[in-house]
Amino acid sequence: MRLVGRISGWNEEKGYGFVTPHAGGGSVRAFVHIKAFQPGSRRPVDGDLISYSVSKDDRGRANAVDVRYAGQKIEQRKSSRPMPRLAIGVLFLLASAFAAFFGFIPFAIIAGYALLSCLSYIMYSVDKAAAGKGMQRTPESTLHFVDALGGWPGALMAQQRFRHKTVKTSFQSVFWVTVLINIVATIWLIRSGAARSLTTALLGS
């Protein structure tokens, strides 16, 4: 059943808000994300009249889906394959572990990626939970800093797992710059011998 309501509390920067159903709509206020709107729709503002369906998330909270503005025709979504972020993150860590096991790269490299990826994954998880509860968020600069240090594989896994920070173009642009910076820095550490010296120091030999 489709309901009719108005957008309220819209946060343009974060791309989400709420929809309050008309009196007698038989539903409570629901969370609405920019991804729920029809492709090609303009950006919503408070007071927009929309029609929508309601689904429940894993915590039983109401979410508006299949959203369209009053009078807007239904558009068929073009099938598109999302970026396999989880696969990219996992494969990179496995490839790094394989290379370290056979001595192609120093142990310190894979150890750093593993630890920082765990940290980044946790930070994205906490930030996602904070966003849903309206609590204090983790600064994007902090997320980018950990990703640039080597946490980006874990960040990719968290982005797909929690569907977090994948739509915001400005965040993704900076994120991929941090990935490039990290890869370039890692190559330099390996070629300069600094990473192998660090591994020797860590192993105490």
Side-chain angles (χ1 to χ4, degrees):
M1 180 180 69
R2 292 190 66 82
L3 304 176
V4 176
R6 291 191 182 275
I7 297 292
S8 63
W10 182 259
N11 188 315
E12 175 61 22
E13 180 183 353
K14 299 175 181 177
Y16 65 75
F18 299 91
V19 54
T20 303
H22 280 182
S27 180
V28 297
R29 189 174 78 152
F31 176 84
V32 58
H33 193 275
I34 189 63
K35 292 189 294 184
F37 286 79
Q38 289 287 310
S41 298
R42 63 173 174 79
R43 304 289 293 191
V45 296
D46 282 355
D48 276 339
L49 182 64
I50 63 172
S51 67
Y52 61 100
S53 299
V54 176
S55 68
K56 300 287 187 178
D57 62 16
D58 54 2
R59 298 183 181 179
R61 297 173 297 188
N63 289 276
V65 296
D66 295 328
V67 178
R68 62 182 185 270
Y69 297 105
Q72 182 181 14
K73 295 181 179 180
I74 299 177
E75 299 181 19
Q76 295 295 329
R77 291 181 178 270
K78 294 181 179 180
S79 59
S80 60
R81 294 182 179 179
M83 180 182 294
R85 301 171 188 274
L86 179 62
I88 293 173
V90 171
L91 287 175
F92 181 86
L93 290 177
L94 288 177
S96 298
F98 178 88
F101 180 80
F102 287 98
F104 296 115
I105 65 173
F107 171 79
I109 295 295
I110 182 58
Y113 275 125
L115 291 174
L116 288 166
S117 288
C118 288
L119 175 60
S120 186
Y121 188 95
I122 293 171
M123 290 173 63
Y124 276 79
S125 172
V126 171
D127 188 54
K128 176 66 175 183
K133 298 177 181 178
M135 299 172 62
Q136 183 175 355
R137 304 288 301 279
T138 303
E140 290 186 354
S141 58
T142 303
L143 296 175
H144 288 317
F145 178 71
V146 175
D147 293 340
L149 289 178
W152 62 267
L156 282 174
M157 291 185 277
Q159 287 175 18
Q160 179 172 327
R161 172 64 178 81
F162 304 112
R163 287 186 283 185
H164 190 45
K165 299 292 188 181
T166 58
V167 176
K168 190 174 181 181
T169 304
S170 59
F171 182 90
Q172 284 296 310
S173 297
V174 178
F175 171 76
W176 287 108
V177 170
T178 65
V179 173
L180 179 60
I181 291 173
N182 174 260
I183 292 176
V184 171
T186 299
I187 293 174
W188 178 84
L189 287 173
I190 294 173
R191 292 177 64 88
S192 67
R196 196 163 299 279
S197 297
L198 179 60
T199 298
T200 300
L202 290 174
L203 296 178
S205 58

